[in-house]
Structure formats: C-alpha cells, structure tokens
Amino acid sequence: MKKFWITLTLLLTMVGGLSLINANPVTAQVVTKHYTVVPKTLRGHWRHYDKKKKGYDKVIFTKWQWKYRDAGQKKWHSLSGKTFKMAKHVRASSPWYSDLSITKSGKHKTYTVGQSYSDMWPSWRRVKRNGKTALRSMPAALGQKVSSTYYYRY
C-alpha cells in the first residue's frame, strides 16, 4: 500500500511539472531571410571577347554572388545572395528579400539571374560549344531578334 501511494505521488508530480512547462510557451517573432545560392552549374570565372570594344566581358559566379564587368570598364557590378533589403510591396510575413534573384526555367536548366524585383535580365545555360564548356547568355529582349553570347572559362 505504501508503494502505491509513493508511485501515485511521483506520477502526479511528473504530470504537474510537465503541465507547468507547457502552460507558458515562449513566443518569438521570427524574421525569415532566404539566402539565394547560385547553382553549381553556373559557378566559376567566365569571359567573352567583345570585338567592338576589343576586350573581354567578364562574369564571376560564386556560391553567394554574381559579378559582371564590361570590356574596357574597371568597375564591377555585383549582386549578393546574402545582402538583404526591406521590400515595400511584399507580404507582411516575409518583408526581407536578397539582392540576387535566380529563377530556373524549363527542363534544360536555364537560369535567369538578376536583381530581385526587377525585370529584363539575361538567361544563362551551361552548354558544350566547339568542344569546350561554355555559358550561353540569352538576353531578355522582348520583340527583338535574340542573339546568344558564349562565355568560356578563364
């Protein structure tokens, strides 16, 4: 009989302790930030010879960043998947967005790379050309003849 009362007391104590722990859950507001990662097929240092400017256009894709420099220019243009900005016209549940936007389209792994919440950015696709691996850049020009540019590793 004594064991019964001891077991019952321990059982009630454990149930009471667990109910106190679950009675006051801690609530916190979580800000969700989505990092943009560049696909492995695009990563690397790529260049294209521009005949008009007589120099190389260069593109660098790293895990978190996209950099671009025109031939004859010294300044790099870059977008980061880790840099966040506050969106003005986005759902309240996710007001933060990264500077870099990558969208996959089609079954051939074509990626549109550009700045978030903007348009008219080129599409990139890894291809084989003249026996070499290249990145094919297709501009996003609507209603115009589309010509591709091929970037090779350097």
Side-chain angles (χ1 to χ4, degrees):
M1 189 72 166
K2 197 174 194 181
K3 286 184 182 181
F4 172 75
W5 289 109
I6 292 173
T7 306
L8 184 63
T9 307
L10 286 174
L11 185 63
L12 289 174
T13 306
M14 289 184 353
V15 170
L18 289 175
S19 65
L20 287 176
I21 291 172
N22 291 332
N24 296 325
V26 178
T27 59
Q29 288 183 336
V30 178
V31 175
T32 305
K33 290 185 177 182
H34 175 72
Y35 294 102
T36 304
V37 179
V38 176
K40 288 183 180 180
T41 58
L42 298 179
R43 292 183 198 168
H45 295 243
W46 306 88
R47 69 180 178 181
H48 162 73
Y49 186 75
D50 192 342
K51 293 177 184 176
K52 292 179 184 177
K53 297 177 185 175
K54 296 183 181 179
Y56 286 99
D57 296 332
K58 295 181 181 180
V59 176
I60 298 174
F61 287 102
T62 63
K63 185 174 182 178
W64 305 103
Q65 197 171 37
W66 171 80
K67 288 182 174 183
Y68 177 78
R69 185 173 77 180
D70 268 333
Q73 303 247 337
K74 292 185 179 181
K75 184 180 177 185
W76 286 88
H77 302 281
S78 67
L79 297 172
S80 174
K82 285 187 170 182
T83 302
F84 289 95
K85 294 182 180 176
M86 182 68 126
K88 294 178 183 175
H89 305 289
V90 184
R91 294 178 278 135
S93 61
S94 63
W96 293 94
Y97 67 93
S98 71
D99 203 20
L100 179 65
S101 170
I102 298 178
T103 308
K104 182 180 175 183
S105 60
K107 60 183 177 182
H108 299 291
K109 294 187 179 179
T110 302
Y111 298 95
T112 303
V113 179
Q115 189 171 11
S116 296
Y117 296 102
S118 64
D119 54 358
M120 302 304 285
W121 289 94
S123 297
W124 298 87
R125 184 174 154 202
R126 192 175 188 145
V127 295
K128 285 281 188 182
R129 184 164 190 253
N130 299 330
K132 296 180 181 177
T133 302
L135 276 185
R136 179 181 175 189
S137 173
M138 296 158 282
L142 298 174
Q144 296 178 359
K145 184 179 176 183
V146 178
S147 61
S148 297
T149 307
Y150 293 91
Y151 288 77
Y152 297 96
R153 284 198 180 271
Y154 71 95

mmCIF file of all heavy atoms in Angstrom, residues 18-45:
data_model
loop_
_atom_site.group_PDB
_atom_site.id
_atom_site.type_symbol
_atom_site.label_atom_id
_atom_site.label_comp_id
_atom_site.label_asym_id
_atom_site.label_seq_id
_atom_site.Cartn_x
_atom_site.Cartn_y
_atom_site.Cartn_z
ATOM 1 N N LEU A 18 5.167 18.665 -15.967
ATOM 2 C CA LEU A 18 5.064 18.771 -17.425
ATOM 3 C C LEU A 18 3.987 19.761 -17.849
ATOM 4 O O LEU A 18 4.148 20.492 -18.834
ATOM 5 C CB LEU A 18 4.788 17.402 -18.036
ATOM 6 C CG LEU A 18 5.950 16.404 -18.002
ATOM 7 C CD1 LEU A 18 5.499 15.051 -18.525
ATOM 8 C CD2 LEU A 18 7.109 16.929 -18.814
ATOM 9 N N SER A 19 2.892 19.812 -17.113
ATOM 10 C CA SER A 19 1.846 20.768 -17.481
ATOM 11 C C SER A 19 2.292 22.199 -17.214
ATOM 12 O O SER A 19 1.895 23.117 -17.927
ATOM 13 C CB SER A 19 0.554 20.455 -16.729
ATOM 14 O OG SER A 19 0.745 20.659 -15.332
ATOM 15 N N LEU A 20 3.127 22.429 -16.225
ATOM 16 C CA LEU A 20 3.648 23.778 -15.976
ATOM 17 C C LEU A 20 4.614 24.211 -17.077
ATOM 18 O O LEU A 20 4.645 25.376 -17.457
ATOM 19 C CB LEU A 20 4.352 23.843 -14.615
ATOM 20 C CG LEU A 20 3.438 23.822 -13.388
ATOM 21 C CD1 LEU A 20 4.278 23.788 -12.127
ATOM 22 C CD2 LEU A 20 2.512 25.018 -13.388
ATOM 23 N N ILE A 21 5.383 23.262 -17.566
ATOM 24 C CA ILE A 21 6.334 23.589 -18.649
ATOM 25 C C ILE A 21 5.574 23.982 -19.911
ATOM 26 O O ILE A 21 5.904 24.942 -20.586
ATOM 27 C CB ILE A 21 7.271 22.399 -18.925
ATOM 28 C CG1 ILE A 21 8.221 22.206 -17.748
ATOM 29 C CG2 ILE A 21 8.065 22.614 -20.212
ATOM 30 C CD1 ILE A 21 9.040 20.946 -17.838
ATOM 31 N N ASN A 22 4.533 23.245 -20.252
ATOM 32 C CA ASN A 22 3.778 23.509 -21.471
ATOM 33 C C ASN A 22 2.742 24.617 -21.315
ATOM 34 O O ASN A 22 2.169 25.065 -22.285
ATOM 35 C CB ASN A 22 3.072 22.234 -21.948
ATOM 36 C CG ASN A 22 4.068 21.212 -22.442
ATOM 37 O OD1 ASN A 22 5.134 21.583 -22.910
ATOM 38 N ND2 ASN A 22 3.722 19.950 -22.317
ATOM 39 N N ALA A 23 2.475 25.069 -20.103
ATOM 40 C CA ALA A 23 1.446 26.081 -19.883
ATOM 41 C C ALA A 23 1.863 27.448 -20.412
ATOM 42 O O ALA A 23 1.030 28.202 -20.897
ATOM 43 C CB ALA A 23 1.124 26.174 -18.396
ATOM 44 N N ASN A 24 3.133 27.791 -20.329
ATOM 45 C CA ASN A 24 3.610 29.097 -20.767
ATOM 46 C C ASN A 24 4.612 28.943 -21.911
ATOM 47 O O ASN A 24 5.813 29.077 -21.705
ATOM 48 C CB ASN A 24 4.269 29.849 -19.607
ATOM 49 C CG ASN A 24 3.288 30.164 -18.505
ATOM 50 O OD1 ASN A 24 2.133 30.427 -18.788
ATOM 51 N ND2 ASN A 24 3.739 30.109 -17.266
ATOM 52 N N PRO A 25 4.156 28.687 -23.134
ATOM 53 C CA PRO A 25 5.103 28.561 -24.238
ATOM 54 C C PRO A 25 5.718 29.924 -24.569
ATOM 55 O O PRO A 25 5.073 30.956 -24.462
ATOM 56 C CB PRO A 25 4.259 28.043 -25.394
ATOM 57 C CG PRO A 25 2.878 28.490 -25.066
ATOM 58 C CD PRO A 25 2.787 28.506 -23.564
ATOM 59 N N VAL A 26 6.965 29.893 -24.960
ATOM 60 C CA VAL A 26 7.679 31.105 -25.330
ATOM 61 C C VAL A 26 7.364 31.415 -26.788
ATOM 62 O O VAL A 26 7.540 30.577 -27.659
ATOM 63 C CB VAL A 26 9.200 30.925 -25.136
ATOM 64 C CG1 VAL A 26 9.931 32.174 -25.573
ATOM 65 C CG2 VAL A 26 9.497 30.583 -23.695
ATOM 66 N N THR A 27 6.890 32.620 -27.047
ATOM 67 C CA THR A 27 6.608 33.024 -28.422
ATOM 68 C C THR A 27 7.620 34.082 -28.834
ATOM 69 O O THR A 27 7.975 34.956 -28.051
ATOM 70 C CB THR A 27 5.188 33.602 -28.553
ATOM 71 O OG1 THR A 27 5.072 34.717 -27.692
ATOM 72 C CG2 THR A 27 4.146 32.557 -28.213
ATOM 73 N N ALA A 28 8.091 33.956 -30.053
ATOM 74 C CA ALA A 28 9.049 34.918 -30.586
ATOM 75 C C ALA A 28 8.708 35.187 -32.041
ATOM 76 O O ALA A 28 8.255 34.299 -32.765
ATOM 77 C CB ALA A 28 10.465 34.371 -30.482
ATOM 78 N N GLN A 29 8.918 36.407 -32.446
ATOM 79 C CA GLN A 29 8.708 36.726 -33.848
ATOM 80 C C GLN A 29 9.966 36.365 -34.614
ATOM 81 O O GLN A 29 11.060 36.795 -34.265
ATOM 82 C CB GLN A 29 8.409 38.199 -34.021
ATOM 83 C CG GLN A 29 7.044 38.588 -33.532
ATOM 84 C CD GLN A 29 6.758 40.048 -33.802
ATOM 85 O OE1 GLN A 29 7.673 40.842 -33.942
ATOM 86 N NE2 GLN A 29 5.489 40.392 -33.887
ATOM 87 N N VAL A 30 9.791 35.589 -35.633
ATOM 88 C CA VAL A 30 10.913 35.151 -36.432
ATOM 89 C C VAL A 30 10.888 35.889 -37.760
ATOM 90 O O VAL A 30 9.877 35.911 -38.450
ATOM 91 C CB VAL A 30 10.855 33.628 -36.680
ATOM 92 C CG1 VAL A 30 12.001 33.187 -37.552
ATOM 93 C CG2 VAL A 30 10.859 32.889 -35.360
ATOM 94 N N VAL A 31 12.002 36.495 -38.103
ATOM 95 C CA VAL A 31 12.133 37.145 -39.397
ATOM 96 C C VAL A 31 12.799 36.149 -40.329
ATOM 97 O O VAL A 31 13.919 35.716 -40.093
ATOM 98 C CB VAL A 31 12.976 38.429 -39.304
ATOM 99 C CG1 VAL A 31 13.190 39.024 -40.664
ATOM 100 C CG2 VAL A 31 12.297 39.420 -38.381
ATOM 101 N N THR A 32 12.097 35.742 -41.364
ATOM 102 C CA THR A 32 12.631 34.761 -42.289
ATOM 103 C C THR A 32 13.421 35.472 -43.379
ATOM 104 O O THR A 32 12.898 36.326 -44.073
ATOM 105 C CB THR A 32 11.497 33.953 -42.931
ATOM 106 O OG1 THR A 32 10.709 33.381 -41.894
ATOM 107 C CG2 THR A 32 12.041 32.866 -43.809
ATOM 108 N N LYS A 33 14.679 35.082 -43.491
ATOM 109 C CA LYS A 33 15.521 35.614 -44.553
ATOM 110 C C LYS A 33 15.961 34.438 -45.410
ATOM 111 O O LYS A 33 16.481 33.455 -44.905
ATOM 112 C CB LYS A 33 16.743 36.324 -43.974
ATOM 113 C CG LYS A 33 16.401 37.612 -43.274
ATOM 114 C CD LYS A 33 17.643 38.325 -42.822
ATOM 115 C CE LYS A 33 17.322 39.643 -42.175
ATOM 116 N NZ LYS A 33 18.516 40.373 -41.769
ATOM 117 N N HIS A 34 15.718 34.544 -46.686
ATOM 118 C CA HIS A 34 16.052 33.470 -47.619
ATOM 119 C C HIS A 34 17.318 33.845 -48.377
ATOM 120 O O HIS A 34 17.329 34.801 -49.134
ATOM 121 C CB HIS A 34 14.894 33.254 -48.595
ATOM 122 C CG HIS A 34 15.201 32.256 -49.654
ATOM 123 N ND1 HIS A 34 15.281 30.919 -49.396
ATOM 124 C CD2 HIS A 34 15.468 32.401 -50.963
ATOM 125 C CE1 HIS A 34 15.586 30.291 -50.519
ATOM 126 N NE2 HIS A 34 15.698 31.179 -51.482
ATOM 127 N N TYR A 35 18.378 33.091 -48.136
ATOM 128 C CA TYR A 35 19.622 33.323 -48.862
ATOM 129 C C TYR A 35 19.502 32.731 -50.261
ATOM 130 O O TYR A 35 18.960 31.661 -50.447
ATOM 131 C CB TYR A 35 20.807 32.676 -48.144
ATOM 132 C CG TYR A 35 21.102 33.287 -46.808
ATOM 133 C CD1 TYR A 35 20.704 32.668 -45.633
ATOM 134 C CD2 TYR A 35 21.775 34.492 -46.711
ATOM 135 C CE1 TYR A 35 20.973 33.238 -44.404
ATOM 136 C CE2 TYR A 35 22.049 35.068 -45.495
ATOM 137 C CZ TYR A 35 21.646 34.437 -44.344
ATOM 138 O OH TYR A 35 21.907 35.012 -43.133
ATOM 139 N N THR A 36 20.031 33.440 -51.244
ATOM 140 C CA THR A 36 19.998 32.963 -52.619
ATOM 141 C C THR A 36 21.344 32.334 -52.950
ATOM 142 O O THR A 36 22.380 32.990 -52.844
ATOM 143 C CB THR A 36 19.708 34.120 -53.589
ATOM 144 O OG1 THR A 36 18.487 34.741 -53.192
ATOM 145 C CG2 THR A 36 19.585 33.621 -55.003
ATOM 146 N N VAL A 37 21.322 31.077 -53.346
ATOM 147 C CA VAL A 37 22.535 30.336 -53.680
ATOM 148 C C VAL A 37 22.601 30.140 -55.187
ATOM 149 O O VAL A 37 21.618 29.756 -55.814
ATOM 150 C CB VAL A 37 22.553 28.964 -52.966
ATOM 151 C CG1 VAL A 37 23.798 28.184 -53.314
ATOM 152 C CG2 VAL A 37 22.440 29.137 -51.464
ATOM 153 N N VAL A 38 23.765 30.402 -55.753
ATOM 154 C CA VAL A 38 23.972 30.229 -57.192
ATOM 155 C C VAL A 38 24.144 28.730 -57.480
ATOM 156 O O VAL A 38 24.908 28.048 -56.797
ATOM 157 C CB VAL A 38 25.221 31.011 -57.657
ATOM 158 C CG1 VAL A 38 25.509 30.760 -59.123
ATOM 159 C CG2 VAL A 38 25.040 32.495 -57.395
ATOM 160 N N PRO A 39 23.459 28.177 -58.478
ATOM 161 C CA PRO A 39 23.603 26.756 -58.814
ATOM 162 C C PRO A 39 25.044 26.416 -59.222
ATOM 163 O O PRO A 39 25.754 27.241 -59.798
ATOM 164 C CB PRO A 39 22.659 26.563 -59.997
ATOM 165 C CG PRO A 39 21.737 27.717 -59.962
ATOM 166 C CD PRO A 39 22.456 28.833 -59.320
ATOM 167 N N LYS A 40 25.454 25.201 -58.929
ATOM 168 C CA LYS A 40 26.827 24.777 -59.216
ATOM 169 C C LYS A 40 27.155 24.799 -60.700
ATOM 170 O O LYS A 40 28.298 24.986 -61.084
ATOM 171 C CB LYS A 40 27.073 23.371 -58.654
ATOM 172 C CG LYS A 40 27.156 23.354 -57.153
ATOM 173 C CD LYS A 40 27.475 21.962 -56.644
ATOM 174 C CE LYS A 40 27.562 21.969 -55.139
ATOM 175 N NZ LYS A 40 27.868 20.639 -54.592
ATOM 176 N N THR A 41 26.162 24.626 -61.555
ATOM 177 C CA THR A 41 26.427 24.619 -62.999
ATOM 178 C C THR A 41 26.873 25.984 -63.512
ATOM 179 O O THR A 41 27.534 26.063 -64.545
ATOM 180 C CB THR A 41 25.186 24.184 -63.789
ATOM 181 O OG1 THR A 41 24.114 25.058 -63.488
ATOM 182 C CG2 THR A 41 24.798 22.766 -63.462
ATOM 183 N N LEU A 42 26.539 27.051 -62.809
ATOM 184 C CA LEU A 42 26.906 28.391 -63.256
ATOM 185 C C LEU A 42 28.196 28.898 -62.622
ATOM 186 O O LEU A 42 28.804 29.845 -63.138
ATOM 187 C CB LEU A 42 25.790 29.387 -62.926
ATOM 188 C CG LEU A 42 24.443 29.168 -63.582
ATOM 189 C CD1 LEU A 42 23.473 30.241 -63.113
ATOM 190 C CD2 LEU A 42 24.546 29.170 -65.085
ATOM 191 N N ARG A 43 28.624 28.310 -61.524
ATOM 192 C CA ARG A 43 29.747 28.849 -60.768
ATOM 193 C C ARG A 43 31.057 28.807 -61.544
ATOM 194 O O ARG A 43 31.310 27.890 -62.317
ATOM 195 C CB ARG A 43 29.925 28.077 -59.463
ATOM 196 C CG ARG A 43 28.789 28.298 -58.508
ATOM 197 C CD ARG A 43 29.035 27.581 -57.216
ATOM 198 N NE ARG A 43 27.776 27.436 -56.491
ATOM 199 C CZ ARG A 43 27.604 26.673 -55.446
ATOM 200 N NH1 ARG A 43 28.622 25.975 -54.976
ATOM 201 N NH2 ARG A 43 26.438 26.603 -54.856
ATOM 202 N N GLY A 44 31.868 29.836 -61.318
ATOM 203 C CA GLY A 44 33.177 29.912 -61.947
ATOM 204 C C GLY A 44 33.443 31.289 -62.528
ATOM 205 O O GLY A 44 32.633 32.206 -62.433
ATOM 206 N N HIS A 45 34.605 31.431 -63.157
ATOM 207 C CA HIS A 45 35.022 32.664 -63.820
ATOM 208 C C HIS A 45 34.853 32.460 -65.326
ATOM 209 O O HIS A 45 35.437 31.545 -65.893
ATOM 210 C CB HIS A 45 36.487 32.982 -63.500
ATOM 211 C CG HIS A 45 36.719 33.285 -62.056
ATOM 212 N ND1 HIS A 45 37.161 34.495 -61.625
ATOM 213 C CD2 HIS A 45 36.561 32.541 -60.937
ATOM 214 C CE1 HIS A 45 37.280 34.494 -60.318
ATOM 215 N NE2 HIS A 45 36.913 33.309 -59.877
#
